[in-house]
Amino acid sequence: MGGAATGDKSSRASMDGTEKTGGGTSSHGDQRTDKNTAPFFSGSGALCKVDSPFSLLCFCMLLLREDILIKIKSYDGFSTFMKTCFPNIIFSEDIETGMRGITHFETVDVRKAIIHDLGVLNDEALEIYREYAPNTEKMCKVLGSKVLACSMDTSDHNQFLSFSFSYLHDNQDIQIKSVLCSPHTKLLRRDSNLRIYFSWKDSIVGKGEKVLVGHIGGHPY
């Protein structure tokens, strides 16, 4: 539900000021119905059935969290609190480092763009992966229809695009694994230097059930 902070919780507007409609529209915050099932809302990390009080409460809590998140102007406060807003995402150990290089972070449009794209990754990236993998071009194209742009970086930059993630090994010890995050979305403008670098999933970190976000900010190289 990355768009909860925009004020209109029934639709998302693209960051260039045009609202997406039709097939390219993300369903975040929209009521959806599947045949032979009860209505549900899609939000950060879960499909919340309206006939489940607990699920609906979780959905509302996530909406509230993202409304709070957009008001946080400090790097450390924002990076800490955003980890509670996107339960399908695992952030790298040094995610705040890249964010500290973002100029004008105090402006609402910058934070809104970050929240929007994290919401799309949280809500839809794993579903896109399951449907289209291993066709990375198609995966990026589908995700790109829901954000300003999504593409793979060049292999020449791979040495700069591996980020450290922590995970619990055998439910006992915390371990660190370096994961390549080449796919990225662009923030604010299609020619923007600001990106969110991510990995669709990892078999160890998140056990294949989480999106990994390695870097939020300018080029890490």
Side-chain angles (χ1 to χ4, degrees):
M1 178 51 223
T6 62
D8 179 0
K9 298 181 177 61
S10 64
S11 65
R12 286 185 187 273
S14 67
M15 291 300 106
D16 58 3
T18 59
E19 186 170 328
K20 295 178 182 295
T21 57
T25 301
S26 171
S27 61
H28 311 135
D30 291 343
Q31 185 178 4
R32 298 167 56 190
T33 55
D34 283 350
K35 189 176 181 180
N36 301 323
T37 64
F40 58 83
F41 288 83
S42 91
S44 294
L47 295 179
C48 305
K49 291 187 178 181
V50 298
D51 61 353
S52 169
F54 178 76
S55 295
L56 187 57
L57 176 61
C58 292
F59 175 77
C60 293
M61 286 296 293
L62 289 168
L63 285 179
L64 178 61
R65 284 179 177 178
E66 294 182 13
D67 282 340
I68 295 172
L69 180 60
I70 199 167
K71 297 182 175 72
I72 301 177
K73 299 181 181 181
S74 66
Y75 296 111
D76 56 344
F78 188 97
S79 65
T80 298
F81 196 71
M82 75 178 179
K83 297 172 186 176
T84 72
C85 298
F86 306 100
N88 283 339
I89 293 177
I90 295 178
F91 294 92
S92 67
E93 291 294 290
D94 58 348
I95 193 70
E96 186 181 326
T97 301
M99 294 175 63
R100 287 188 173 276
I102 300 176
T103 58
H104 306 300
F105 184 80
E106 72 281 359
T107 62
V108 68
D109 285 348
V110 173
R111 301 193 305 279
K112 184 188 296 184
I114 294 172
I115 292 171
H116 175 274
D117 282 21
L118 289 177
V120 174
L121 290 172
N122 183 86
D123 296 349
E124 308 204 32
L126 286 172
E127 183 179 345
I128 291 171
Y129 178 89
R130 294 183 188 112
E131 184 169 355
Y132 298 107
N135 188 339
T136 56
E137 182 179 355
K138 180 65 174 180
M139 289 155 59
C140 288
K141 182 178 180 179
V142 174
L143 186 68
S145 71
K146 304 171 187 298
V147 297
L148 283 183
C150 177
S151 61
M152 300 286 293
D153 212 311
T154 64
S155 58
D156 294 343
H157 296 147
N158 281 357
Q159 59 180 316
F160 305 104
L161 300 177
S162 290
F163 304 95
S164 298
F165 294 85
S166 62
Y167 67 97
L168 194 60
H169 178 66
D170 292 336
N171 295 321
Q172 295 181 356
D173 302 323
I174 295 178
Q175 303 286 335
I176 301 294
K177 180 181 180 181
S178 181
V179 178
L180 176 65
C181 298
S182 178
H184 58 276
T185 69
K186 294 185 178 181
L187 304 173
L188 298 176
R189 305 184 314 275
R190 295 181 186 277
D191 61 347
S192 174
N193 179 49
L194 296 180
R195 289 113 185 271
I196 296 180
Y197 281 87
F198 69 95
S199 174
W200 298 95
K201 68 172 189 173
D202 182 78
S203 60
I204 296 178
V205 181
K207 299 179 181 179
E209 299 175 353
K210 304 288 184 180
V211 180
L212 277 55
V213 170
H215 178 83
I216 301 174
H219 287 112
Y221 46 82

